[in-house]
Structures are given as structure tokens and as C-alpha cells.
Amino acid sequence: MSQKGIEQLIGKVLLDVRFLEEFLKNPEGKVRENGLDISAEEIVQIKKMDSAKARSFAESFSKEFASRKQTGL
């Protein structure tokens, strides 16, 4: 496992809802396309995620982050 690769993936997923949607459709492709250091075993685990929960969390985080950014927090 690459801690850095997972951290980069989480950052992309949380801050870019479009990336999340593309990633959920094709995890291996998005990992390769973005040069993320994530193992095949980790991708298997990621595929087991509840995609609706992932979307909901990412959208909530993204909205909260955007509102804080606008208010200067």
C-alpha cells in the first residue's frame, strides 16, 4: 500500500465530484491515468465501497469546503 497514493486519491475524490464519478466507473483506468501508486489489492477493496455513500460524502465535503473558502475560513 502506498499511503501517499491513497491520500492523493482521497483528495481528488473529495474535491472533484466529476473525478469521483469517473473513478467509480473505472477505478483502474483513473488510477493509471493519474499516475497514482495504488495496488491491485487496494483497487479491489475500493470497488467494494458503497458508491452512493461515497458520492454523498464527497458532495457534502465539497460543498462545505467551497463555502468555507468563500468566507475565508
Side-chain angles (χ1 to χ4, degrees), residues 43-56:
I43 290 176
V44 168
Q45 290 301 108
I46 289 166
K47 285 181 172 183
K48 293 178 182 178
M49 278 188 325
D50 182 326
S51 59
K53 287 180 181 177
R55 282 184 189 97
S56 176

Side-chain angles (χ1 to χ4, degrees), residues 9-49:
L9 175 62
I10 291 169
K12 287 182 172 294
V13 163
L14 290 178
L15 297 174
D16 185 344
V17 176
R18 189 178 79 197
F19 176 87
L20 170 64
E21 290 301 324
E22 293 171 1
F23 177 77
L24 291 172
K25 291 177 187 172
N26 182 8
E28 295 95 340
K30 291 307 283 185
V31 164
R32 281 192 305 273
E33 182 182 307
N34 287 273
L36 301 172
D37 182 18
I38 295 176
S39 71
E41 293 83 17
E42 290 167 330
I43 290 176
V44 168
Q45 290 301 108
I46 289 166
K47 285 181 172 183
K48 293 178 182 178
M49 278 188 325

Side-chain angles (χ1 to χ4, degrees), residues 15 61-73:
L15 297 174
F61 183 90
S62 184
K63 286 177 186 174
E64 180 64 26
F65 186 78
S67 70
R68 288 177 182 240
K69 202 172 175 183
Q70 291 174 358
T71 62
L73 296 176

